[in-house]
Amino acid sequence: MKIVHLSAECYPVAKVGGLADVVGALPRYLNKQSANASVVMPKYANEWVSEHEFETVLSGSAPLGHWQFDYRIQRETADTLGFPLYVIDIPGRFDRPGVYTDEESGGSYWDDFERFASFQIVALDWFNRMEEKPEIIHCHDHHTALVPFMITQSYRYMDLKHIPTVLTVHNAEYHGVYDKEKAYLLPHFDERDMGLLDWDGRLNCLAAGLKTCWEITTVSHSYMNELAYNSNGLEWLFQNETQKSRGIINGIDTDVWDPETDPMIAEHYSQRKMAAGKRENKRVLCDRFGLDPQYPTISFIGRLVHEKGADMLPDLFRTYLESPQSVNFIVLGTGDRSLHHQFQAMSDRFVGYFDATLDYNESLAHQIYAGSDFMIMPSRVEPCGLNQMYSMRYGTVPIVRNIGGLKDTVVDIGTSDGYGITFNDFTLHAAQDAVQRAIDLFQDGRKMAGIRKRIMNLDFSWNASAKEYINMYKQLSE
Ligand code: GLC
C-alpha cells in the first residue's frame, strides 16, 4: 500500500518537537509491515540537508494565486532513513534554516501561509502527475491540513478526490489561523464552499483539514477525549467529528532510543546491567553540570512553553533548592525568554544543585535520559508526550501530570502494578507532592531499582501502533 506522509518536520532532517520523531519513525515501522510509506517535507536550508545528497525527480512551476513559482522535488539519494524521503525545494520560501521561526529574531516568518500553501500545492501537483498515485495521503498538523481541503474542493485536483486522507493532530493548540483573503491563493474552488476554511470568521487551516479529511487521528486515546472540551476553540468541531476520529498512541523509535547501543551516552547498559550503567551515566552527567551524584537528580527536557507547564518549574524547584533537602535539578530546552532569565539566575544562585542548558541539544538529551533518576513533565496539555517513554526506556522514572498521553502511558506507583509518579491538578502543591514522593522513592534503593528494571522492560515500540495505522488505512481504502 502506497502511503505518503506530508509533514513540516521529520527527524533527523528537521526537528522542533515530537512531530519530527513520529514522522521520522512511523514510516519505517509501516514499511517493516510491508507498506510502502514515504515522507514529503519542505527542503530547509539546514545542516542535515546540506550534508546529504539529493536527486531531482521533478521540477516545474505551480500557481499561488495569480503568481507562478518554481519548485523542485528531490529524493534523498542514499535512502538513509529507512523510507524514501522527498524534499520540496521552493526557492524564496524554504531556503532558510528555521522550520517555523527565524532563528535570529525568534519570531515566525512573515509568509507562513504562503510557504506551507506552496508546499502543499506542489505536493498535490506532483500526485496529479503520478501514474501510480498514493493510496493514502497522511497529513500531520495544520501545516499540511489544507491538503484534504484542496483535494476535495479544488478543481485542479479532481483526479485525486478518491484518495483517502488522514489528518493526525499532534497538537491542537496551534491551528494556522490567517486572514480569509488568503483563501484566494489556493487553487480555484467553488466559493460557496468557503465556509469549510472558516472558523470564527478566519481562515483556520486545522479546522479546514478536520472538516474535509477522511479520518482524524490523534496521538493518544485520552487526548482524543480531551480535545472535545479543550482544543483552543475547536471543541465543538471535534465533538462534531467524533464519528471519523480515533486515538492511536505514539510509539518510540527503539532503534534510536536504546541504552544498549546509543552512541550519544557515556556508558551502555541493558536491563541486567542497569545499576552500574545508570551510576556511570549519572556520574558523567553530574560532573558536566557540577552536581553531587549522591542526591536524586530530577530533570526536565522540552520546550519552555506554557503548554508544557515549564512556567511552574522555577517555583517548584525553588521549594527544594531553598530548603535543606538535598536533591538536584537539570533543565534542557529553549522557549520563553523570561524563563531563560529565571533559569539562568537560578543556575548562578544554586550552584551545585541546579543547572540549565537553554538550548536544543539532541545528544545532551540522550545523556540526561540516561543519567537522571527522574524526568518531570508537569504539562498543562500533552497530546502524547514521548519524553516519558524515552525516560522509561533508560530506566528513569517519570513524574507526570495525569493528562493526555501521559495518562495513557504512566501508571502511578500507588497502584499495585504502577511504575511512575503521577499527579492530577495543575497546582504547585500537587507537583510538590509528586516531587516529594520521588525523593522518598529514591531513598528506598530496592524499590527504586525494581521500578527501574520494570520500566526498562515496558514495550513502547512502534510495532503495535503501526499495526493500528495499517488497519485504519485498509479500512479507508476498502
Ligand atoms: C507534539 C505533542 C506531543 C506529542 C508529539 C508527537 O509535540 O505536544 O505530546 O508527543 O507532538 O505526536
mmCIF file of all heavy atoms in Angstrom, residues 17-22 141 168-171 219 250 303 307-308 381-389, ligand 1:
data_model
loop_
_atom_site.group_PDB
_atom_site.id
_atom_site.type_symbol
_atom_site.label_atom_id
_atom_site.label_comp_id
_atom_site.label_asym_id
_atom_site.label_seq_id
_atom_site.Cartn_x
_atom_site.Cartn_y
_atom_site.Cartn_z
ATOM 1 N N GLY A 17 9.922 19.554 17.519
ATOM 2 C CA GLY A 17 9.345 18.816 18.649
ATOM 3 C C GLY A 17 9.051 17.371 18.279
ATOM 4 O O GLY A 17 9.612 16.826 17.310
ATOM 5 N N GLY A 18 8.137 16.785 19.058
ATOM 6 C CA GLY A 18 7.831 15.360 18.916
ATOM 7 C C GLY A 18 7.281 14.960 17.552
ATOM 8 O O GLY A 18 7.438 13.804 17.130
ATOM 9 N N LEU A 19 6.659 15.907 16.846
ATOM 10 C CA LEU A 19 6.161 15.627 15.499
ATOM 11 C C LEU A 19 7.270 15.020 14.634
ATOM 12 O O LEU A 19 7.056 14.048 13.910
ATOM 13 C CB LEU A 19 5.641 16.936 14.876
ATOM 14 C CG LEU A 19 5.388 16.939 13.371
ATOM 15 C CD1 LEU A 19 4.284 15.971 12.989
ATOM 16 C CD2 LEU A 19 5.030 18.346 12.890
ATOM 17 N N ALA A 20 8.466 15.595 14.753
ATOM 18 C CA ALA A 20 9.596 15.115 13.947
ATOM 19 C C ALA A 20 9.925 13.666 14.293
ATOM 20 O O ALA A 20 10.180 12.843 13.404
ATOM 21 C CB ALA A 20 10.824 15.991 14.184
ATOM 22 N N ASP A 21 9.902 13.336 15.574
ATOM 23 C CA ASP A 21 10.235 11.976 15.986
ATOM 24 C C ASP A 21 9.231 10.974 15.414
ATOM 25 O O ASP A 21 9.595 9.885 14.981
ATOM 26 C CB ASP A 21 10.235 11.857 17.518
ATOM 27 C CG ASP A 21 11.391 12.622 18.136
ATOM 28 O OD1 ASP A 21 12.196 13.183 17.376
ATOM 29 O OD2 ASP A 21 11.501 12.667 19.374
ATOM 30 N N VAL A 22 7.973 11.370 15.427
ATOM 31 C CA VAL A 22 6.937 10.470 14.926
ATOM 32 C C VAL A 22 7.085 10.268 13.418
ATOM 33 O O VAL A 22 7.107 9.137 12.921
ATOM 34 C CB VAL A 22 5.531 11.017 15.270
ATOM 35 C CG1 VAL A 22 4.444 10.227 14.573
ATOM 36 C CG2 VAL A 22 5.322 10.992 16.784
ATOM 37 N N ASP A 141 -0.636 17.740 11.398
ATOM 38 C CA ASP A 141 -0.799 19.098 11.927
ATOM 39 C C ASP A 141 -1.211 20.127 10.861
ATOM 40 O O ASP A 141 -1.355 19.817 9.702
ATOM 41 C CB ASP A 141 0.450 19.543 12.690
ATOM 42 C CG ASP A 141 0.483 18.977 14.116
ATOM 43 O OD1 ASP A 141 -0.540 18.386 14.532
ATOM 44 O OD2 ASP A 141 1.513 19.128 14.792
ATOM 45 N N THR A 168 -3.498 13.748 11.180
ATOM 46 C CA THR A 168 -3.124 13.471 12.562
ATOM 47 C C THR A 168 -2.873 14.781 13.298
ATOM 48 O O THR A 168 -2.113 15.631 12.818
ATOM 49 C CB THR A 168 -1.879 12.560 12.628
ATOM 50 O OG1 THR A 168 -2.223 11.307 12.050
ATOM 51 C CG2 THR A 168 -1.428 12.335 14.062
ATOM 52 N N VAL A 169 -3.527 14.913 14.427
ATOM 53 C CA VAL A 169 -3.374 16.115 15.249
ATOM 54 C C VAL A 169 -2.341 15.812 16.334
ATOM 55 O O VAL A 169 -2.594 15.020 17.236
ATOM 56 C CB VAL A 169 -4.721 16.501 15.891
ATOM 57 C CG1 VAL A 169 -4.564 17.741 16.769
ATOM 58 C CG2 VAL A 169 -5.776 16.718 14.815
ATOM 59 N N HIS A 170 -1.194 16.420 16.205
ATOM 60 C CA HIS A 170 -0.152 16.228 17.212
ATOM 61 C C HIS A 170 -0.266 17.286 18.292
ATOM 62 O O HIS A 170 0.262 17.130 19.380
ATOM 63 C CB HIS A 170 1.242 16.321 16.584
ATOM 64 C CG HIS A 170 1.519 15.210 15.622
ATOM 65 N ND1 HIS A 170 2.203 14.088 15.972
ATOM 66 C CD2 HIS A 170 1.156 15.050 14.331
ATOM 67 C CE1 HIS A 170 2.271 13.277 14.929
ATOM 68 N NE2 HIS A 170 1.640 13.839 13.920
ATOM 69 N N ASN A 171 -0.928 18.374 17.926
ATOM 70 C CA ASN A 171 -1.035 19.459 18.867
ATOM 71 C C ASN A 171 -2.119 20.417 18.424
ATOM 72 O O ASN A 171 -1.934 21.162 17.469
ATOM 73 C CB ASN A 171 0.311 20.193 18.925
ATOM 74 C CG ASN A 171 0.381 21.073 20.137
ATOM 75 O OD1 ASN A 171 -0.636 21.569 20.606
ATOM 76 N ND2 ASN A 171 1.579 21.280 20.638
ATOM 77 N N VAL A 219 -2.796 11.483 18.904
ATOM 78 C CA VAL A 219 -1.697 10.624 19.304
ATOM 79 C C VAL A 219 -1.861 9.912 20.651
ATOM 80 O O VAL A 219 -0.907 9.315 21.142
ATOM 81 C CB VAL A 219 -0.378 11.419 19.220
ATOM 82 C CG1 VAL A 219 -0.038 11.702 17.756
ATOM 83 C CG2 VAL A 219 -0.494 12.731 19.985
ATOM 84 N N ASN A 250 1.326 7.101 20.183
ATOM 85 C CA ASN A 250 2.629 7.061 19.504
ATOM 86 C C ASN A 250 3.510 5.995 20.102
ATOM 87 O O ASN A 250 3.395 5.672 21.287
ATOM 88 C CB ASN A 250 3.373 8.379 19.693
ATOM 89 C CG ASN A 250 2.814 9.511 18.869
ATOM 90 O OD1 ASN A 250 2.235 9.284 17.814
ATOM 91 N ND2 ASN A 250 3.007 10.724 19.342
ATOM 92 N N ARG A 303 10.390 21.973 25.347
ATOM 93 C CA ARG A 303 10.216 23.384 25.021
ATOM 94 C C ARG A 303 9.727 24.116 26.264
ATOM 95 O O ARG A 303 8.864 23.614 26.983
ATOM 96 C CB ARG A 303 9.229 23.543 23.860
ATOM 97 C CG ARG A 303 9.833 23.131 22.542
ATOM 98 C CD ARG A 303 8.838 23.190 21.406
ATOM 99 N NE ARG A 303 7.745 22.257 21.597
ATOM 100 C CZ ARG A 303 6.452 22.587 21.592
ATOM 101 N NH1 ARG A 303 6.092 23.841 21.423
ATOM 102 N NH2 ARG A 303 5.515 21.682 21.761
ATOM 103 N N GLU A 307 2.244 25.413 27.563
ATOM 104 C CA GLU A 307 1.633 24.097 27.386
ATOM 105 C C GLU A 307 2.326 22.983 28.176
ATOM 106 O O GLU A 307 1.697 22.074 28.692
ATOM 107 C CB GLU A 307 1.910 23.796 25.933
ATOM 108 C CG GLU A 307 0.902 23.356 25.055
ATOM 109 C CD GLU A 307 1.619 23.037 23.754
ATOM 110 O OE1 GLU A 307 2.171 23.964 23.105
ATOM 111 O OE2 GLU A 307 1.638 21.844 23.413
ATOM 112 N N LYS A 308 3.642 23.083 28.241
ATOM 113 C CA LYS A 308 4.419 22.036 28.908
ATOM 114 C C LYS A 308 4.517 22.294 30.410
ATOM 115 O O LYS A 308 5.189 21.562 31.132
ATOM 116 C CB LYS A 308 5.827 21.939 28.316
ATOM 117 C CG LYS A 308 5.844 21.669 26.822
ATOM 118 C CD LYS A 308 5.435 20.244 26.488
ATOM 119 C CE LYS A 308 5.316 20.021 24.977
ATOM 120 N NZ LYS A 308 4.557 18.819 24.629
ATOM 121 N N VAL A 381 -1.080 20.561 28.836
ATOM 122 C CA VAL A 381 -1.648 19.780 27.735
ATOM 123 C C VAL A 381 -0.546 18.846 27.247
ATOM 124 O O VAL A 381 0.588 19.277 27.096
ATOM 125 C CB VAL A 381 -2.022 20.720 26.551
ATOM 126 C CG1 VAL A 381 -2.604 19.931 25.402
ATOM 127 C CG2 VAL A 381 -2.960 21.814 26.985
ATOM 128 N N GLU A 382 -0.868 17.587 27.030
ATOM 129 C CA GLU A 382 0.150 16.682 26.469
ATOM 130 C C GLU A 382 -0.510 15.651 25.567
ATOM 131 O O GLU A 382 -0.990 14.611 26.017
ATOM 132 C CB GLU A 382 0.938 16.003 27.593
ATOM 133 C CG GLU A 382 2.231 15.357 27.134
ATOM 134 C CD GLU A 382 3.227 16.358 26.549
ATOM 135 O OE1 GLU A 382 3.951 17.025 27.316
ATOM 136 O OE2 GLU A 382 3.248 16.464 25.309
ATOM 137 N N PRO A 383 -0.543 15.950 24.259
ATOM 138 C CA PRO A 383 -1.214 15.043 23.322
ATOM 139 C C PRO A 383 -0.725 13.593 23.450
ATOM 140 O O PRO A 383 -1.531 12.679 23.575
ATOM 141 C CB PRO A 383 -0.860 15.649 21.965
ATOM 142 C CG PRO A 383 -0.713 17.118 22.257
ATOM 143 C CD PRO A 383 -0.062 17.176 23.606
ATOM 144 N N CYS A 384 0.572 13.403 23.422
ATOM 145 C CA CYS A 384 1.094 12.057 23.692
ATOM 146 C C CYS A 384 2.237 12.181 24.688
ATOM 147 O O CYS A 384 2.192 11.675 25.784
ATOM 148 C CB CYS A 384 1.589 11.373 22.414
ATOM 149 S SG CYS A 384 2.341 9.785 22.788
ATOM 150 N N GLY A 385 3.253 12.923 24.282
ATOM 151 C CA GLY A 385 4.454 13.017 25.101
ATOM 152 C C GLY A 385 5.320 11.823 24.759
ATOM 153 O O GLY A 385 4.857 10.676 24.800
ATOM 154 N N LEU A 386 6.535 12.098 24.387
ATOM 155 C CA LEU A 386 7.449 10.993 24.065
ATOM 156 C C LEU A 386 8.500 10.883 25.157
ATOM 157 O O LEU A 386 9.017 9.799 25.439
ATOM 158 C CB LEU A 386 8.120 11.242 22.711
ATOM 159 C CG LEU A 386 7.155 11.353 21.520
ATOM 160 C CD1 LEU A 386 7.883 11.873 20.290
ATOM 161 C CD2 LEU A 386 6.520 10.003 21.218
ATOM 162 N N ASN A 387 8.774 12.016 25.807
ATOM 163 C CA ASN A 387 9.885 12.031 26.775
ATOM 164 C C ASN A 387 9.705 11.041 27.917
ATOM 165 O O ASN A 387 10.668 10.440 28.385
ATOM 166 C CB ASN A 387 10.067 13.439 27.340
ATOM 167 C CG ASN A 387 10.520 14.412 26.267
ATOM 168 O OD1 ASN A 387 10.643 14.043 25.107
ATOM 169 N ND2 ASN A 387 10.766 15.656 26.643
ATOM 170 N N GLN A 388 8.452 10.851 28.353
ATOM 171 C CA GLN A 388 8.244 9.885 29.436
ATOM 172 C C GLN A 388 8.594 8.479 28.956
ATOM 173 O O GLN A 388 9.109 7.656 29.721
ATOM 174 C CB GLN A 388 6.799 9.963 29.972
ATOM 175 C CG GLN A 388 5.719 9.288 29.145
ATOM 176 C CD GLN A 388 5.262 10.128 27.954
ATOM 177 O OE1 GLN A 388 5.916 11.077 27.537
ATOM 178 N NE2 GLN A 388 4.125 9.777 27.382
ATOM 179 N N MET A 389 8.365 8.211 27.669
ATOM 180 C CA MET A 389 8.658 6.867 27.153
ATOM 181 C C MET A 389 10.170 6.702 26.941
ATOM 182 O O MET A 389 10.731 5.647 27.242
ATOM 183 C CB MET A 389 7.892 6.623 25.859
ATOM 184 C CG MET A 389 6.382 6.648 26.062
ATOM 185 S SD MET A 389 5.465 6.012 24.653
ATOM 186 C CE MET A 389 4.946 7.513 23.853
HETATM 187 C C1 GLC B 1 3.512 17.211 19.890
HETATM 188 C C2 GLC B 1 2.838 16.992 21.244
HETATM 189 C C3 GLC B 1 3.423 15.796 21.982
HETATM 190 C C4 GLC B 1 3.447 14.586 21.047
HETATM 191 C C5 GLC B 1 4.165 14.913 19.761
HETATM 192 C C6 GLC B 1 4.197 13.776 18.775
HETATM 193 O O1 GLC B 1 4.810 17.676 20.072
HETATM 194 O O2 GLC B 1 2.931 18.152 22.046
HETATM 195 O O3 GLC B 1 2.671 15.492 23.113
HETATM 196 O O4 GLC B 1 4.111 13.519 21.685
HETATM 197 O O5 GLC B 1 3.550 16.016 19.124
HETATM 198 O O6 GLC B 1 2.923 13.328 18.409
#
